[in-house]
Amino acid sequence: MPVVKKVHHVALVVADLEAALTFWRDALGIQVAERREVPAEAAEIAFLPLGESELELVRPTAQDTGLARFLQKRGEGMHHLCLEVDDLDGMLQQLRQRGVELINETPRSGADGKRYAFIHPRSAGGVLVELYEVP
Ligand code: CO
């Protein structure tokens, strides 16, 4: 049986990264480990590690992406919850068998070798859920 190991990260969509950091970094005091543009996702991301997990602040850098539409429609706030699993293919198969609606039927691969797939919020209580398999 595939296993969910931990909350890998929680991603928050923001309109203005610097403004968001005045709360998360300056007021709460959470350190920013890295900040970079991810052209493949049309986003600028700040990574704020927190123990075994991390917060990610994500700002869309183009208007025509799912992320940008999400921000336009729902405003700033939580974008997705990412769970690390030990066996992504096995977990996707288990979810499919249970009738869970997947956004990515087959896993995608990030630049850093992590494999991931998203579950539709319709099947997850309104929460966009990302699954990660870390090599
Ligand atoms: Co994510």
Side-chain angles (χ1 to χ4, degrees), residues 84-96:
E84 184 179 332
V85 299
D86 64 344
D87 170 11
L88 183 56
D89 295 309
M91 183 59 83
L92 292 178
Q93 179 160 357
Q94 172 175 306
L95 292 170
R96 242 180 253 117

Side-chain angles (χ1 to χ4, degrees), residues 117-135:
F118 282 92
I119 300 169
H120 201 287
R122 270 197 290 272
S123 289
V127 178
L128 178 59
V129 178
E130 179 179 29
L131 299 176
Y132 247 19
E133 183 187 284
V134 179

Side-chain angles (χ1 to χ4, degrees), residues 9 11 56 80 82 118 130 132:
H9 60 268
E56 293 183 8
H80 67 267
C82 178
F118 282 92
E130 179 179 29
Y132 247 19

Side-chain angles (χ1 to χ4, degrees), residues 97-113:
Q97 281 165 357
R98 293 187 156 263
V100 171
E101 189 179 343
L102 304 175
I103 292 175
N104 305 116
E105 285 294 334
T106 50
R108 305 177 69 178
S109 291
D112 48 3

